[in-house]
Amino acid sequence: MLNIVLFGPPGAGKGTQSQKLIDKYQLKHLSTGDMLRSEIAHQTELGLKAKELMDAGLLVPDEVVIGMIDNQLNANKESKGFIFDGFPRTVAQAQALDTLLSNHLTSIHLMLALTVTEEELVKRLLIRGESSGRADDQDEAKIRVRVNEYNTKTAQVATYYEGQGKFKAIDGIGDIDEIFSALCTEIEQVG
Ligand code: B4P
């Protein structure tokens, strides 16, 4: 089994690179952002609660996303491994993920962190906002709230994995295929 955390601030390229990685390594893609947007689209109770926070650029509560990941791990026991995209976003989520994976007799093998400057993130997300229809992409002030949530609550998750010797930083600025190739080089050193 191969379990990878793809990490980085909003707009770093996690979703973009995840699509390429799942094609190449046939891993199951677990994006908490995609799961939450699906709950919103289906107008579930969970989705209605999450929408307000997400539209404002804030994180949804830990127990909500941990529960969604738990369900997906149980539903995909035969998978060759997982790419966690946008999860964990807090140290509490990272600790919960370690526990959930150990219940399945596995663990995280590698955290790949895409590094991108704040100005580039804002630029990318405003461009995506022209077509994504996402309220959190359309307003620079909300994008900066998301970056602030990342800096204050999420960045320390990298230190958590660094302490386990699993952290690798990758330059997330430049050509998408070149960034993908740098990610693959790191994965192949683990596998
Ligand atoms: P996510 O869905 O995870 O959204 P994101 O961080 O905006 O997306 P991503 O980072 O994948 O986008 P990408 O860089 O690929 O989260 C949305 C919200 O959900 C959060 O704000 C929060 O409210 C909630 N949430 C999700 N998970 C949670 C959790 N675990 N705990 C609590 N709350 C949670 O793409 C960005 C753009 O850049 C694209 O348009 C892409 O085309 C472009 N791009 C990518 N790579 C590029 C490159 N190399 N050069 C130029 N452009 C590039």
Side-chain angles (χ1 to χ4, degrees):
M1 219 178 189
L2 177 64
N3 300 314
I4 296 166
V5 172
L6 194 56
F7 188 73
K14 303 184 294 288
T16 305
Q17 296 295 339
S18 288
Q19 285 308 323
K20 297 173 77 68
L21 291 169
I22 54 174
D23 287 348
K24 179 161 171 142
Y25 296 104
Q26 276 105 49
L27 302 172
K28 174 77 183 161
H29 181 210
L30 297 184
S31 159
T32 41
D34 288 350
M35 291 177 210
L36 290 166
R37 282 185 289 277
S38 165
E39 296 282 343
I40 292 171
H42 291 96
Q43 298 193 319
T44 64
E45 195 182 330
L46 189 158
L48 293 174
K49 281 189 200 146
K51 184 177 187 322
E52 208 172 311
L53 292 164
M54 290 172 74
D55 283 355
L58 300 169
L59 295 183
V60 304
D62 287 338
E63 59 273 20
V64 172
V65 286
I66 292 167
M68 292 192 314
I69 291 287
D70 190 14
N71 291 341
Q72 287 296 319
L73 293 178
N74 288 324
N76 292 283
K77 286 185 179 155
E78 307 307 319
S79 172
K80 289 171 70 177
F82 298 93
I83 292 186
F84 296 93
D85 165 5
F87 180 91
R89 260 178 159 96
T90 63
V91 171
Q93 291 179 22
Q95 289 166 335
L97 180 60
D98 275 352
T99 305
L100 293 177
L101 289 175
S102 77
N103 293 342
H104 290 269
L105 305 178
T106 188
S107 59
I108 291 297
H109 299 94
L110 182 63
M111 167 190 259
L112 293 167
L114 294 165
T115 57
V116 176
T117 59
E118 179 165 342
E119 289 325 298
E120 172 73 12
L121 299 173
V122 172
K123 193 176 93 187
R124 285 183 190 179
L125 293 175
L126 284 173
I127 292 172
R128 186 171 69 182
E130 290 169 10
S131 57
S132 70
R134 281 175 55 173
D136 60 344
D137 281 347
Q138 285 167 354
D139 172 346
E140 182 169 337
K142 283 182 189 164
I143 293 172
R144 293 205 188 267
V145 169
R146 289 162 67 192
V147 174
N148 185 55
E149 286 278 270
Y150 172 83
N151 289 333
T152 55
K153 297 177 184 165
T154 304
Q156 49 197 296
V157 175
T159 313
Y160 179 85
Y161 287 99
E162 215 166 7
Q164 297 185 355
K166 296 173 178 172
F167 172 85
K168 290 279 174 199
I170 303 284
D171 185 356
I173 295 188
D175 180 71
I176 288 174
D177 287 332
E178 282 175 19
I179 296 166
F180 177 62
S181 165
L183 293 170
C184 294
T185 300
E186 293 298 340
I187 291 170
E188 272 143 40
Q189 283 176 19
V190 174

